[in-house]
Amino acid sequence: MIEDARVLRAGFVPREVEHRDPEVNHLSSVLEPITRGEPADTALLTGPSGAGKTCIAKFTVDRLRQRHLDVEYQYVNCWQNHSHYRAAYRVLEGLGRTVDIHRQSTPRDELTERLRDYAGSPVVVVLDEVDQLDDKRLLYDLHAMPQFSMVLIANREEELFAGMDERVTSRLTGGERIRFDRYALDELVSILEARARWGLEPDAIHRAELERIADAAAGDARVAISVLRTAARHARDDGADRITEENVSSAVPEARAEVHRKSLDSLTSHQRALYEVIEARGEVEPADLYAAYRERVDDPKSDRTVRNYLQKMAQYDLVVAEGTSRDRVYRLPERLAAV
DNA sequence: GCTCCACGGGAAGGATAGGCTT
DNA sequence: AAGCCTATCCTTCCCGTGGAGC
């Protein structure tokens, strides 16, 4: 049934990519000066999740490194490393320059110095989910160092620049922008087809089922591959030699539920209380929500902290905040209709 | 227009953790 | 071993901004 589970995992970078030639070529040309020993412009990749931004960034840099020995590369996910310290540390880690920095109390400037002193091969730093970085000075610092070239990845450009001061934005607005759109249905199908070809036994899944998955994924390749993985696991557990319509049907909500459950697990009891209030009321105005929350917990946090929680929860897609001012209401996100 | 409400940036402060110095 | 230092993380307070509704 499953021949190579790796290709069904999130984060797998295929040897060939589909439907993204213009983006690959654009990014390659932006990075091209590095091969001549010159610093490249900063590239900014934007687009919805599952549109292939991370995959294309990794693929393109890999390809560049295959052709040119003297290019280093470091990938940093800013969602997981959102502080200045952690992100800078990760960059150094990729260069093997952290040997004697194990302690947590290294002054921040020392990390920056360490980066500045780096005199090896040019480095491409891919900063994924860069809008999550809470101190954007790292971008400014790296920009000023010619040995580093940056590929920034964010869902939306506006949100990225929202939290930056003038100094940083003026440097970055000159960079190259590469936009990604959601995959069309037939594009997703051929992506899934390729994964099935590499990862599953021949004939393990038929085109009708692939189309079904692509349809449910609504243009998001990450979701599509996750559904394929779940369906393949179901079929394997059944001892079947092929993924059935039934496997796909049950995999769609399960893959979605899994993401949701993981997010819920990561909430604190206060955040969970907020979630439960919103769940119970359906749609609730801020003042009511704050009051109901204060009723519900022993030692309530301030409204400001609650707003921080809600913002975080919105980023995890656990709640939706509608309206920007007095019209603000909170509700749970609408689940896509079952397939 | 004016008022009100809510948002969210920023600064400040406390808790906590780990390395370094004495 | 104790105390100091510097970092992160979390929380709170203050307050400017801006849209909605009157």
Side-chain angles (χ1 to χ4, degrees), chain A residues 1 19 82 139 199 265 302:
Chain A
M1 177 72 231
H19 311 297
H82 53 88
L139 305 182
D265 283 348
S302 71

Side-chain angles (χ1 to χ4, degrees), chain A residues 270-271 274 290 293 300-311:
Chain A
H270 289 268
Q271 292 163 339
L274 284 166
Y290 299 156
Y293 157 78
K301 312 285 188 185
S302 71
D303 291 358
R304 182 68 187 86
T305 298
V306 166
R307 283 200 288 276
N308 283 342
Y309 289 165
L310 289 166
Q311 203 173 40

Side-chain angles (χ1 to χ4, degrees), chain A residues 15 26 47 55 80 85 115 117 161 180 184 190 257 259 265 276-277 283:
Chain A
R15 199 173 313 185
H26 192 170
C55 180
Q80 280 140 28
Y85 180 84
L115 288 168
D117 291 347
F161 288 122
F180 288 70
S190 69
V259 172
D265 283 348
E276 285 165 2
V277 171
E283 194 172 274

Side-chain angles (χ1 to χ4, degrees), chain A residues 125-144:
Chain A
V125 181
V126 177
L127 294 167
D128 203 348
E129 309 202 51
V130 67
D131 48 315
Q132 294 299 316
L133 204 57
D134 37 45
D135 188 345
K136 306 287 197 300
R137 263 179 300 173
L138 179 65
L139 305 182
Y140 182 80
D141 289 343
L142 284 176
H143 188 86

